[in-house]
Amino acid sequence: MDNDVLRNIALSYSPMVDRNRKVTATRLTVSSLRTQEALKADHLLAAIAEVWPEGGQPVSLNIMSETLLNDLLRAKPLSSVMVEIPSFIACDPANTEVIAQLHANGNTLLLHGRPPSLLPREILPCFKHSIIDLADDRRKNEIPGHVEPGVVRSMGFIQSNVRTVAEMENSFARGALAILGWPIEDVTSTESPAASRAGQPDMAVLVELIRRVDEGEDIDKLEVVLKRDPTLAYQLMRYINSPAFGLSVEIGSFRHAIMMLGYKRLKRWLALLLATASKDANMRPVMFASVRRGIFMEQLVAHTGDDETRGEVFICGVFSLLDKLFQKPFGELLKTIPVPERVYQALVEGEGPHHPYLELARAVETETAPVINEYAEHLLMSLQEVNRAVLGTLTMANQLE
């Protein structure tokens, strides 16, 4: 459907991760980049409903435009849509009735930021959780088990702006239900315990399998390698039979998969599995990011690139965090994993035709709207095209989980 609001905003996303390192929801940040244009909340909600239907995985809407947010508060979002309401808006008595109505409609409401004054008593029960920036969290200075005099807390909190593993662990220790985003750089540093466990045996099997597929070896020889890791075989069948893959028949064996897919498409999904093979809990959100990068970059060229280009940008995105997972520079890592030349250029040299798509993917993950706009313009893409790629990515990613 044509949707004017997608022409004037920048969408970005980040995971909401609980203490078990499970992604429980997606935060979708909506930034207005065309402030002179009137933005309609019902148009935005119609676009979101295509990705998050009623009963789907929760999405938390972080609306950066006050005008658009006020319009949305008076619309009727699906119950699967969580709405983040800045504390200064929640404290305004003019919004009390609409907040109460959203709560009555079944929407989960999140109070964003520490209120500048007391909330109206009648809407306090409307908020399920609060979102507290780490820098503003008064709990940091409290003795465990003690609360500041006069402070009453009736809702759980989600921590934002967490940059390190230590900050993450401390947030959970203080009772945080989840954090927004993930400290990828820190969790994959050489000093991190998670990084030392990143290279798992099944990764070695995958690397060998990718190399043999690249060389076009016989199916029998490929099956021998795959049988060394039954868990890997199960994962492969699960991914291939997922709705995102779009096959009309169920794949029952590795041999059947190769017959149906061919070697090029098989290599693509082996690349996906390589990026999601770590068994370390702290690596789950890193793998989450790898999958979404690959899908997003493919979505960006879906209507302009040929099959070869789509396959290459997918692998480029999926492999873009392998250096962190394996704790090796790309120049060394890609000596053992065969990749197309344009993927090598993007990952090792930071240049080439695929590199701007990778930079755009990174910008979408970090909620930096001006940078998203800048890379879109560099690629001669409209904001609408980029936003559709974001929504298409989240649709496919939800189908894979």
Side-chain angles (χ1 to χ4, degrees):
M1 60 180 270
D2 189 29
N3 196 322
D4 288 339
V5 73
L6 297 183
R7 304 176 190 274
N8 302 305
I9 61 174
L11 296 178
S12 52
Y13 56 81
S14 60
M16 191 176 291
V17 185
D18 69 11
R19 64 178 61 249
N20 296 318
R21 282 47 168 179
K22 181 181 178 182
V23 176
T24 58
T26 298
R27 184 196 214 188
L28 189 67
T29 296
V30 182
S31 303
S32 174
L33 289 174
R34 306 283 190 271
T35 54
Q36 71 277 13
E37 300 289 338
L39 302 178
K40 297 295 184 181
D42 56 344
H43 292 176
L44 175 64
L45 293 172
I48 290 172
E50 296 177 11
V51 183
W52 286 279
E54 196 77 49
Q57 187 192 52
V59 57
S60 174
L61 277 186
N62 177 32
I63 309 292
M64 304 298 287
S65 162
E66 187 174 347
T67 301
L68 182 58
L69 177 58
N70 280 323
D71 192 24
L72 184 136
L73 293 180
R74 289 154 178 81
K76 293 183 178 180
L78 296 176
S79 61
S80 56
V81 174
M82 298 188 291
V83 181
E84 298 182 23
I85 300 180
S87 56
F88 74 92
I89 288 182
C91 289
D92 186 345
N95 296 314
T96 297
E97 184 178 344
V98 293
I99 290 173
Q101 186 59 55
L102 271 179
H103 176 66
N105 290 344
N107 291 104
T108 297
L109 305 184
L110 306 177
L111 182 66
H112 191 169
R114 202 164 70 188
S117 58
L118 290 177
L119 289 177
R121 184 181 300 274
E122 58 268 39
I123 68 165
L124 188 59
C126 296
F127 292 97
K128 185 172 184 180
H129 306 307
S130 61
I131 297 176
I132 303 296
D133 190 282
L134 180 60
D136 297 330
D137 191 354
R138 291 181 293 189
R139 297 169 180 83
K140 290 188 300 182
N141 301 317
E142 291 178 356
I143 300 173
H146 293 76
V147 179
E148 290 182 28
V151 175
V152 178
R153 295 180 179 130
S154 58
M155 65 182 79
F157 75 101
I158 297 164
Q159 197 93 81
S160 61
N161 202 28
V162 173
R163 303 299 183 192
T164 69
V165 173
E167 290 176 349
M168 173 188 72
E169 297 291 1
N170 287 335
S171 293
F172 286 132
R174 290 193 300 273
L177 301 171
I179 64 170
L180 280 169
W182 193 252
I184 287 178
E185 296 295 333
D186 191 53
V187 83
T188 55
S189 69
T190 53
E191 293 80 14
S192 169
S196 65
R197 300 190 297 271
Q200 299 287 342
D202 52 0
M203 285 188 172
V205 175
L206 269 167
V207 169
E208 182 178 351
L209 198 55
I210 290 173
R211 180 182 61 79
R212 289 174 181 257
V213 169
D214 192 63
E215 294 172 356
E217 287 198 0
D218 293 338
I219 295 177
D220 291 340
K221 293 181 179 179
L222 297 177
E223 279 192 308
V224 169
V225 176
L226 188 66
K227 287 176 180 176
R228 284 161 42 188
D229 194 328
T231 302
L232 175 60
Y234 167 78
Q235 285 180 294
L236 180 61
M237 292 302 104
R238 176 175 171 269
Y239 276 121
I240 289 176
N241 285 308
S242 69
F245 208 84
L247 294 179
S248 58
V249 297
E250 184 173 337
I251 301 298
S253 68
F254 184 60
R255 180 179 293 272
H256 187 198
I258 295 177
M259 291 172 60
M260 290 293 295
L261 306 175
Y263 279 39
K264 283 188 177 180
R265 290 190 74 191
L266 178 62
K267 183 179 176 181
R268 157 199 172 98
W269 288 92
L270 289 174
L272 177 61
L273 287 176
L274 180 60
T276 58
S278 175
K279 296 181 178 68
D280 188 271
N282 276 342
M283 291 296 172
R284 288 175 192 159
V286 180
M287 298 184 289
F288 175 98
S290 297
V291 174
R292 277 148 185 74
R293 279 190 189 180
I295 297 174
F296 176 64
M297 289 174 66
E298 183 185 33
Q299 289 284 311
L300 288 174
V301 301
H303 302 297
T304 58
D306 54 23
D307 288 342
E308 183 176 5
T309 300
R310 286 194 290 270
E312 285 188 10
V313 296
F314 176 84
I315 289 175
C316 184
V318 167
F319 277 7
S320 63
L321 290 170
L322 281 188
D323 60 330
K324 303 183 185 303
L325 287 167
F326 280 94
Q327 284 300 299
K328 292 182 180 180
F330 278 118
E332 179 182 346
L333 191 59
L334 298 186
K335 289 178 181 178
T336 58
I337 307 174
V339 297
E341 176 62 24
R342 292 183 291 186
V343 175
Y344 184 92
Q345 289 176 339
L347 298 181
V348 178
E349 300 168 358
E351 59 185 30
H354 297 340
H355 190 251
Y357 294 104
L358 179 58
E359 291 295 287
L360 179 53
R362 289 169 176 154
V364 164
E365 294 168 359
T366 54
E367 303 180 339
T368 48
V371 180
I372 293 172
N373 192 42
E374 178 184 341
Y375 279 110
E377 291 179 347
H378 178 72
L379 289 165
L380 302 179
M381 298 185 70
S382 67
L383 285 170
Q384 184 181 42
E385 290 174 302
V386 175
N387 290 329
R388 288 207 173 279
V390 169
L391 295 174
T393 296
L394 298 174
T395 299
M396 291 190 66
N398 287 342
Q399 292 173 349
L400 284 173
E401 294 168 352

